Amino acid sequence: MTACRIALGPLLYYWPRQAVLDFYAAAARSAADIVYLGETVCSRRHELRPADWLALAGDLRAAGKTVLLSSPTLVESVAEIGQIRRLAAQADYPVEVGEVGAIRALGGRPFVAGPHLNAYHGATLAWLAGQGAIRFVAPLELDRAGLAALLAEKPAGLEAEAMVWGRMPLAFSARCFTARHFHLRKDECGFRCIDYPDGLDLRTQEAGEFLAINGIQTQSAQCLDLLAQAAELAALGVAVWRVSPQSQCTLEAVAALDRVRRGEPAGTVSPPPGIGRCNGYWHGRAGIAWQEAA
């Protein structure tokens, strides 16, 4: 039906080294066409070093995947600046830009504009394309009508990518929420993120799902699930469906999207245990809401 490609977004969590290697070994055998690699949340995470990410990139490329390296989303330290400079210095792989300042470091090289660059109208998309953007990831909170309007304004030749599955990354802060939760200083956090492979749940006093915290990142408590809307996204002009890695069921979501592009029903993919589903933004409702497909 559609020529939409499937992308695995960057891993947002701090997983043990072997878990990361095992995940990408399985991803190499999956139907994903594009894989984003690299640390985008916290520069203190060190289970994988830059050389390890590049080795994974080589393995995935050898398996036929298009590989991109993702830059940090919040840049506030020498470590993050150094990370961007290292990405800019290597020319083997395109870069997904997490914040605007990284664009200058790329010196005109093609890049993908990440979801946190606040591209809400055609003028911003035109500017990004003029800087070298070949694709942009649509803001997560757009509803169907808003996304359709944005795609109608995008410059010719600029591809659109939309997230369809996974916990949504909503905001970033200089404060580490996970460290704060355990009454620890940010630079003495004990790397507690590694104990929460899908983030740390925050609940209301009524025990309802509210948010998830992942280091300096705030996420949706629920797993975004637009698998039933994937064909509609493609019809609107989305060229790439993005799946954001979770500790379980990620590659099942990739397989579901592969079924959609072969004209078959997506089926249901459950989030990791204890995590609900949401699609409220798509329907013009609160993002936390869930509405069954008609």
Side-chain angles (χ1 to χ4, degrees), residues 58-277:
D59 292 342
L60 288 160
R61 175 182 277 180
K65 310 303 182 187
T66 299
V67 179
L68 294 92
L69 302 179
S70 296
S71 72
T73 303
L74 183 64
V75 178
E76 58 172 354
S77 72
V78 173
E80 279 110 13
I81 294 171
Q83 186 175 342
I84 289 173
R85 287 175 176 167
R86 286 191 296 273
L87 290 174
Q90 65 80 34
D92 291 336
Y93 302 96
V95 173
E96 179 192 29
V97 169
E99 60 91 40
V100 173
I103 295 174
R104 177 178 294 181
L106 293 177
R109 280 175 50 204
F111 65 91
V112 171
H116 304 291
L117 293 192
N118 299 324
Y120 291 102
H121 52 76
T124 302
L125 295 180
W127 181 82
L128 289 168
Q131 301 299 310
I134 57 174
R135 185 164 66 247
F136 78 100
V137 184
L140 303 175
E141 69 273 24
L142 288 179
D143 61 14
R144 185 196 183 284
L147 179 60
L150 182 63
L151 295 178
E153 295 180 354
K154 76 176 181 66
L158 180 67
E159 288 189 325
E161 181 172 332
M163 182 174 166
V164 297
W165 195 89
R167 271 185 160 165
M168 293 182 287
L170 301 176
F172 295 79
S173 170
R175 170 177 289 177
C176 177
F177 298 112
T178 306
R180 179 78 172 183
H181 175 77
F182 290 103
H183 308 290
L184 299 169
R185 293 175 56 187
K186 181 179 180 180
D187 56 356
E188 297 176 354
C189 65
F191 304 103
R192 296 301 296 269
C193 285
I194 206 166
D195 297 326
Y196 300 94
D198 292 299
L200 177 60
D201 293 338
L202 296 181
R203 296 184 176 271
T204 65
Q205 290 182 339
E206 292 76 26
E209 292 180 308
F210 178 48
L211 292 170
I213 55 176
N214 173 41
I216 66 170
Q217 185 183 67
T218 306
Q219 300 180 327
S220 60
Q222 297 83 7
C223 176
L224 174 67
D225 185 347
L226 293 180
L227 296 176
Q229 290 77 34
E232 190 173 1
L233 283 162
L236 288 176
V238 170
V240 179
W241 296 313
R242 174 178 287 211
V243 172
S244 189
Q246 304 291 154
S247 67
Q248 299 180 47
C249 306
T250 301
L251 299 183
E252 287 85 344
V254 169
L257 290 171
D258 189 44
R259 290 193 292 272
V260 171
R261 66 180 173 185
R262 289 189 275 112
E264 303 170 9
T268 300
V269 177
S270 299
I275 300 177
R277 293 188 291 167

Side-chain angles (χ1 to χ4, degrees), residues 12 39-46 80 83 176 186 189 191 193 215-216:
L12 303 179
E39 178 56 55
T40 64
V41 177
C42 178
S43 60
R44 299 190 71 245
R45 296 174 176 178
H46 60 278
E80 279 110 13
Q83 186 175 342
C176 177
K186 181 179 180 180
C189 65
F191 304 103
C193 285
I216 66 170

